[in-house]
Amino acid sequence: MTLEPPKSTFSACPHDCPSTCALEVHFYPHGDVRRLNGAKDNEYTAGVICAKVARYAERLYHPERLMTPLRRVGRKGEGRFEEISWEAALDLIAEKFLAAEAEFGAESVWPYHYAGTMGLVQRDSIHRLRHAKGYSLQFDSFCTNMAWTGYVAGTGRLAGPDPREMAVSDQIVIWGTNPVATQVNVMTHAIAARKKRGARIIVVDVYETETMKQADIGLVLKPGTDAALACAIMHVLFRDGYADWDYLEEFTDCPKELEAHLQSKTPDWAAAITGVSVAQIEDVARLIGETRKTFFRLGYGFTRSRNGAVGMHAACSIAAITGSYKYEGGGTFHNNGAIYALNKEMIEAGSLKDPSVRALDQSLVGRILTGDDAALLGGPPVKAMLIQNTNPMSVAPEQDLVRQGFAREDLFTVVHEQFLTETAQMADIVLPATQFLEHDDIYKGGGHQYLMLGPKAVEAPEGPRENIFVINEIARRVDSKPHPGFDMSARDHIDWMLQKSGYGTLVELETNKWIDLQPDFETAHYLSGFGHADRKFHFKPDWGRSAAPNKPEGEPFGPWASMPELPDQWDSIEQADDAHPFRLVTAPARSFLNSSFNETESSKKKEGRPEVWLRPEEAARFGIEDGARVQMGNKRGVVTLHARLVDTVAPGTVISEGIWPNDAFEDGKGINTLTGADPVAPYGGAAFHDSAVWVRAA
């Protein structure tokens, strides 16, 4: 008897987004996936997901999806490959990895990955291989460091009030994020508060985003000036009697010193720095002071700037002055990473990690592959790479160097991918990968509090294999140290981790779909004390020595010694000058997610073409008309794209939304040609929205 396929099942979105949406997967009668919807019974997703994931069948059944292993037969980047069997591909990979290890040592092999999937099993099993072999470690520096560092400098812990509390807030301040484009559930709860309670929505960003268009109040400020705005708001709160002194004395480290420090940080001072008017600063500060149930939702825009840690810390400090943490619907939230206590020994083999092995900075991949001794940390050259879940030929900074590095004929590169990306085109071996509905995994929500199961929903086509298959098969061929994790399926890993973490079993999670790990109100609102040893919120972080979720070994990075002791504007950004009069922000596009979805026709159609947005009066100075071909450049390189003239960006600022494929640009060079890879103070990270550029008519 043939069983009919189910009409629907559940899953979780795997993509690099704090929302980690709970999904309902709907099928056609013949079994193919029809459409994805948000799960209505998940209180955070609340039935709403972004349009690009709703259309996921377009990606799953895309005609250009990789279906068989490939071996390069042309020059690197030429795109000429021949089909090869899985067995032959894996044997060749092992041969090349072992040869590199024999000649240059195990550190000459660099497994390189990131967040193409956020699944804990499929994403993080690459560490099991690196630890079992002593391959080079990876310091993760793309997305989070400055924001996480600044937030934890204040709170002492990467966690905060229940994000569902936005729905019961009287005022939501959305700062440094564009959730309409990047995490739609923030808007779900903010709009619910507006409809049910008359809550006010205030948005702070560097241009009028789709989120700002839905706000009651929008503040457009110059990039990298968030700390000045935050300081002026706090100045008004102290000046006009809005500070909750009982709360400050009990829960913060140096409120009197901060008040004195902020006396000179007036709205006039901040207006000159930020471009926001004095009246706007005064009005927003007053509304924050009068509205105790203000929920600050601080985003990842902070992590894209060289002074982002200082900016995040300053913005995070506002709620501590008003004492809004005392109220449901009040306080500051950025990410809930600290609430997940997971035992990942079987996934990552942390017990095999050798701390003496170098950790190469993922953002410095261009410098590393071109032999920069400082980036190589004095160690051997990288001679072989396994790349999963990322597309550095598109998303890494300093693209000219990245291209030069991957073009080396003496570099053996393996790319495990779903599509023939720019990085796959530079590979010696390309392996076809499953998509998330074709394998089992488990996910944690940075933007909420659920640990979520993503079970296999459909069978994969004949060729693609899941990440852990590749990891385990390479390990068996390269004489790795034994570890039980190499003999476990994805389901085995999930069950083991759940049980060892005290979160039940896989069978229970299959029934419940997710686990709500939100701490109680007092803990989440820090009413029993903040995360530092003294239990205080720190207005005065010990930069360079402060705790942080992703703190590298050794000395801090960048000009950390000049970071301000108390919240203040810190001009460590890449300043505009006569030769580079604009500051470039490479903002996310609504229909792409990093370089994912830029292969789907519907997303490309919605986004149009690569563009740079600039103000009409500034374009006129350079003879640039709306729609014109322009070149944009700096010391790192030049890209060619089209101009769009808008009056919704901050003066001196240009915006280019989305990571388009390199071949969407006339000269084949993508937007990250212009971004820098220099590690940012105090603990590293690449400042993707912090580049000084010139723009000229082409």
Side-chain angles (χ1 to χ4, degrees):
M1 179 180 175
T2 302
L3 295 177
E4 290 188 8
K7 292 182 179 179
S8 65
T9 189
F10 71 93
S11 190
C13 182
H15 287 283
D16 185 12
C17 165
S19 287
T20 315
C21 290
L23 301 176
E24 296 173 353
V25 184
H26 301 283
F27 300 95
Y28 288 107
H30 61 269
D32 280 0
V33 172
R34 179 170 58 89
R35 185 175 175 83
L36 276 58
N37 293 110
K40 295 182 177 64
D41 53 342
N42 181 281
E43 292 181 351
Y44 188 75
T45 301
V48 179
I49 60 172
C50 67
K52 55 185 172 285
V53 171
R55 301 189 302 267
Y56 214 88
E58 181 183 10
R59 200 165 185 275
L60 191 66
Y61 304 118
H62 197 290
E64 296 177 7
R65 187 175 167 188
L66 291 170
M67 291 295 179
T68 186
L70 304 172
R71 176 169 54 196
R72 178 173 64 90
V73 295
R75 296 192 312 273
K76 288 200 171 184
E78 195 175 40
R80 290 176 55 215
F81 296 91
E82 65 179 6
E83 295 186 1
I84 185 175
S85 71
W86 267 100
E87 198 72 16
L90 291 165
D91 288 345
L92 180 59
I93 293 165
E95 175 189 328
K96 295 292 188 179
F97 281 17
L98 287 168
E101 180 181 357
E103 186 173 359
F104 297 97
E107 289 186 338
S108 68
V109 181
W110 190 19
Y112 188 93
H113 83 299
Y114 205 54
T117 176
M118 297 295 280
L120 303 183
V121 177
Q122 305 292 349
R123 182 190 66 189
D124 296 337
S125 285
I126 199 169
H127 296 307
R128 188 166 66 252
L129 176 63
R130 93 166 76 237
H131 295 155
K133 283 296 297 178
Y135 293 155
S136 282
L137 307 176
Q138 176 176 297
F139 175 61
D140 296 342
S141 56
F142 272 178
C143 283
T144 61
N145 254 22
M146 294 79 100
W148 285 7
T149 297
Y151 185 85
V152 173
T155 63
R157 189 167 187 257
L158 188 62
D162 188 333
R164 293 168 293 192
E165 289 182 27
M166 283 183 285
V168 297
S169 178
D170 292 330
Q171 182 166 263
I172 301 99
V173 179
I174 300 171
W175 193 333
T177 182
N178 181 15
V180 166
T182 61
Q183 42 181 320
V184 66
N185 312 96
V186 170
M187 295 307 293
T188 300
H189 296 285
I191 296 297
R194 173 192 276 165
K195 289 180 177 179
K196 294 179 181 178
R197 305 173 55 81
R200 185 181 301 107
I201 299 173
I202 300 172
V203 173
V204 182
D205 216 319
V206 298
Y207 67 114
E208 188 183 60
T209 63
E210 292 301 312
T211 302
M212 192 176 290
K213 291 175 182 177
Q214 297 189 29
D216 299 288
I217 297 172
L219 302 183
V220 176
L221 77 170
K222 296 177 182 178
T225 64
D226 304 85
L229 176 61
C231 286
I233 289 171
M234 291 187 284
H235 168 95
V236 173
L237 295 175
F238 279 119
R239 183 197 69 193
D240 293 352
Y242 293 119
D244 185 336
W245 278 103
D246 289 339
Y247 181 88
L248 284 164
E249 295 290 354
E250 182 177 358
F251 288 103
T252 70
D253 62 343
C254 57
K256 292 289 187 184
E257 187 177 353
L258 178 66
E259 181 187 31
H261 166 74
L262 291 173
Q263 285 182 1
S264 63
K265 311 302 178 186
T266 64
D268 291 273
W269 166 83
I273 295 170
T274 64
V276 180
S277 72
V278 171
Q280 286 179 304
I281 296 171
E282 291 276 4
D283 287 346
V284 167
R286 175 181 54 79
L287 291 171
I288 290 171
E290 292 175 349
T291 312
R292 295 297 170 168
K293 292 180 66 169
T294 295
F295 194 103
F296 291 84
R297 186 62 173 82
L298 305 183
Y300 285 91
F302 292 96
T303 209
R304 314 289 199 257
S305 178
R306 286 173 175 78
N307 62 3
V310 170
M312 169 63 89
H313 174 254
C316 186
S317 297
I318 298 171
I321 292 176
T322 63
S324 67
Y325 281 103
K326 296 189 301 185
Y327 308 99
E328 184 182 22
T332 300
F333 181 86
H334 171 61
N335 182 286
N336 247 345
I339 72 173
Y340 301 97
L342 298 170
N343 186 332
K344 296 172 68 179
E345 170 60 29
M346 288 301 111
I347 295 173
E348 297 187 357
S351 61
L352 299 181
K353 181 180 179 180
D354 181 350
S356 69
V357 172
R358 66 181 177 181
L360 298 175
D361 188 332
Q362 69 173 149
S363 294
L364 297 177
V365 60
R367 302 185 195 185
I368 288 165
L369 295 184
T370 52
D372 184 298
D373 190 62
L376 286 163
L377 304 177
V382 170
K383 303 292 286 188
M385 296 180 74
L386 168 65
I387 299 175
Q388 290 184 322
N389 317 323
T390 189
N391 183 16
M393 275 288 297
S394 174
V395 304
E398 298 180 348
Q399 278 286 298
D400 280 358
L401 281 179
V402 176
R403 183 187 303 270
Q404 182 182 336
F406 274 109
R408 282 172 37 204
E409 285 293 337
D410 68 330
L411 173 68
F412 181 76
T413 305
V414 181
V415 175
H416 187 204
E417 250 299 353
Q418 297 162 354
F419 295 91
L420 196 64
T421 63
E422 295 91 338
T423 307
Q425 291 176 42
M426 302 297 284
D428 296 279
I429 294 291
V430 180
L431 302 174
T434 50
Q435 296 195 31
F436 81 101
L437 293 173
E438 299 164 346
H439 56 238
D440 294 292
D441 217 330
I442 187 169
Y443 306 86
K444 58 182 183 180
H448 54 72
Q449 67 295 317
Y450 289 110
L451 185 65
M452 310 173 74
L453 184 64
K456 180 177 179 179
V458 295
E459 290 296 330
E462 181 66 27
R465 300 285 187 272
E466 62 186 335
N467 285 10
I468 63 166
F469 171 86
V470 173
I471 297 300
N472 293 346
E473 290 298 319
I474 292 176
R476 293 187 182 103
R477 289 167 166 81
V478 295
D479 304 321
S480 72
K481 293 177 183 177
H483 188 275
F486 289 123
D487 298 315
M488 296 168 65
S489 69
R491 290 176 60 82
D492 293 335
H493 277 292
I494 295 167
D495 193 44
W496 190 95
M497 184 180 70
L498 287 170
Q499 293 194 48
K500 295 298 181 181
S501 305
Y503 295 148
T505 67
L506 174 57
V507 171
E508 292 169 346
L509 188 55
E510 285 179 310
T511 300
N512 298 322
K513 299 186 284 190
W514 48 75
I515 305 170
D516 187 340
L517 297 175
Q518 179 62 40
D520 63 82
F521 180 86
E522 186 170 287
T523 300
H525 284 252
Y526 297 111
L527 298 182
S528 55
F530 284 87
H532 296 292
D534 62 4
R535 312 302 289 166
K536 305 278 190 179
F537 183 94
H538 283 190
F539 293 128
K540 183 185 276 190
D542 191 7
W543 297 118
R545 288 169 288 273
S546 59
N550 189 32
K551 187 175 181 179
E553 298 292 332
E555 287 295 306
F557 295 128
W560 67 274
S562 67
M563 296 177 78
E565 282 190 339
L566 290 162
D568 208 338
Q569 179 62 22
W570 184 46
D571 290 328
S572 62
I573 56 178
E574 189 167 285
Q575 298 281 2
D577 56 27
D578 290 342
H580 307 87
F582 297 105
R583 300 197 63 243
L584 168 65
V585 172
T586 56
R590 187 171 187 173
S591 301
F592 299 157
L593 204 165
N594 302 322
S595 66
S596 295
F597 297 96
N598 69 15
E599 73 285 326
T600 60
E601 288 304 317
S602 61
S603 288
K604 288 189 288 186
K605 184 177 180 180
K606 287 178 180 294
E607 295 302 326
R609 62 185 178 181
E611 293 182 327
V612 57
W613 302 1
L614 65 168
R615 297 181 67 86
E617 68 273 18
E618 293 178 334
R621 285 168 42 205
F622 298 95
I624 296 170
E625 297 181 353
D626 190 40
R629 284 175 62 251
V630 297
Q631 288 190 315
M632 180 163 60
N634 57 21
K635 62 185 178 182
R636 303 179 187 99
V638 179
V639 301
T640 303
L641 63 178
H642 289 81
R644 182 192 296 189
L645 306 190
V646 299
D647 58 6
T648 54
V649 302
T653 305
V654 293
I655 306 293
S656 185
E657 284 195 339
I659 301 179
W660 281 88
N662 293 346
D663 62 11
F665 292 80
E666 182 177 308
D667 49 12
K669 293 185 176 184
I671 197 65
N672 281 315
T673 300
L674 307 178
T675 56
D678 47 300
V680 170
Y683 304 137
F688 284 94
H689 295 183
D690 190 348
S691 304
V693 297
W694 50 259
V695 184
R696 302 169 187 159

